[in-house]
């Protein structure tokens, strides 16, 4: 059989769309941060590794924040940001979550060079084990992206005395798709 170019293209297009039929986009995922950086008000030009991640404040001073970058793959569900299983938690045990105007860079981002703080997404009150209580929710659940998307987040302390640490590979802030 001899095909005109047009017919060949249309057959190829049919084959291509046929190949897309099994939808491999996952519907359930736990996404952990790719990058974690700790920044400290008292060391404004030093970048600290998130080993562990830390958010703290002592007598209203010495602010320590954690910046995270999540790389979320395509997922055909709702994405929910939550916090779970800290290493330690004392004081108010509260964490305010903001979006960042970009992702932090490991070994590079500092107190004074961090991307700008954007939207307040919510506040967690950490439990010693298990999931944190959601104290405020200004958009912790959203439609998951359909292309790979990076999200930068900033976690900061609440009230005068607060200290929370966590292992970003095992707990802390996660995004689930379901
Ligand atoms: C925070 O800690 C300081 C020093 O221990 C204490 O003086 C202050 O009252 C505490 N603040 C609160 C709100 O508990």
């Amino acid at each position: 059989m001899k095909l005109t170019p047009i017919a060949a293209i249309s057959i190829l297009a049919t084959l291509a769309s046929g190949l897309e039929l099994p939808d491999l986009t996952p519907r359930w995922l736990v996404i952990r941060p790719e990058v974690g950086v700790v920044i400290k008000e008292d060391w404004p030009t030093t970048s600290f590794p998130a080993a562990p991640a830390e958010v703290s404040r002592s007598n209203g001073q010495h602010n320590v924040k954690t910046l995270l970058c999540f790389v979320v793959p395509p997922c055909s569900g709702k994405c929910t940001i939550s916090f779970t299983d800290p290493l330690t938690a004392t004081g108010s045990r509260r964490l305010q979550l903001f979006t960042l105007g970009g992702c932090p860079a490991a070994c590079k981002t500092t107190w004074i060079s961090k991307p700008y703080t954007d939207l307040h997404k919510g506040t967690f009150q950490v439990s010693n084990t298990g999931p944190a209580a959601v104290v405020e929710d200004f958009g912790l659940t959203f439609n998951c992206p359909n292309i790979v998307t990076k999200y930068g987040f900033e976690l900061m302390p609440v009230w005068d005395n607060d200290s929370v640490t966590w292992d970003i590979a095992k707990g802390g802030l996660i995004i689930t798709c379901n």
Side-chain angles (χ1 to χ4, degrees):
M1 178 172 78
K2 255 190 126 185
L3 295 173
T4 64
I6 302 258
I9 285 166
S10 124
I11 285 168
L12 284 175
T14 308
L15 283 175
S17 63
L19 289 175
E20 279 166 20
L21 272 180
D23 181 1
L24 299 177
T25 311
R27 286 185 184 75
W28 200 88
L29 284 176
V30 175
I31 303 130
R32 297 183 188 280
E34 298 256 317
V35 176
V37 175
V38 171
I39 58 170
K40 304 188 182 189
E41 184 178 24
D42 295 349
W43 286 276
T45 59
T46 306
S47 181
F48 296 88
E54 178 182 351
V55 166
S56 66
R57 180 183 282 158
S58 170
N59 210 8
Q61 303 168 73
H62 314 297
N63 282 282
V64 175
K65 301 175 178 180
T66 286
L67 311 178
L68 299 169
C69 183
F70 286 84
V71 180
V72 179
C75 191
S76 59
K78 291 278 184 192
C79 277
T80 300
I81 310 168
S82 60
F83 191 98
T84 184
D85 295 315
L87 295 172
T88 61
T90 59
S92 74
R93 293 183 288 119
R94 290 190 182 213
L95 305 175
Q96 278 186 330
L97 175 72
F98 287 80
T99 56
L100 275 181
C103 266
C107 311
K108 206 168 164 197
T109 302
T110 66
W111 185 271
I112 57 167
S113 76
K114 72 172 191 65
Y116 67 91
T117 306
D118 198 5
L119 301 172
H120 185 194
K121 282 288 172 187
T123 306
F124 299 102
Q125 177 151 14
V126 172
S127 303
N128 286 321
T129 55
V134 175
V135 178
E136 292 176 301
D137 183 347
F138 304 122
L140 294 172
T141 301
F142 55 97
N143 290 325
C144 291
N146 51 22
I147 56 167
V148 178
T149 304
K150 287 187 175 188
Y151 296 92
F153 291 113
E154 173 171 356
L155 284 155
M156 61 175 78
V158 179
W159 300 336
D160 282 356
N161 298 307
D162 192 6
S163 174
V164 178
T165 64
W166 68 96
D167 179 347
I168 64 169
K170 294 190 178 141
L173 204 73
I174 56 170
I175 299 176
T176 48
C177 164
N178 53 32

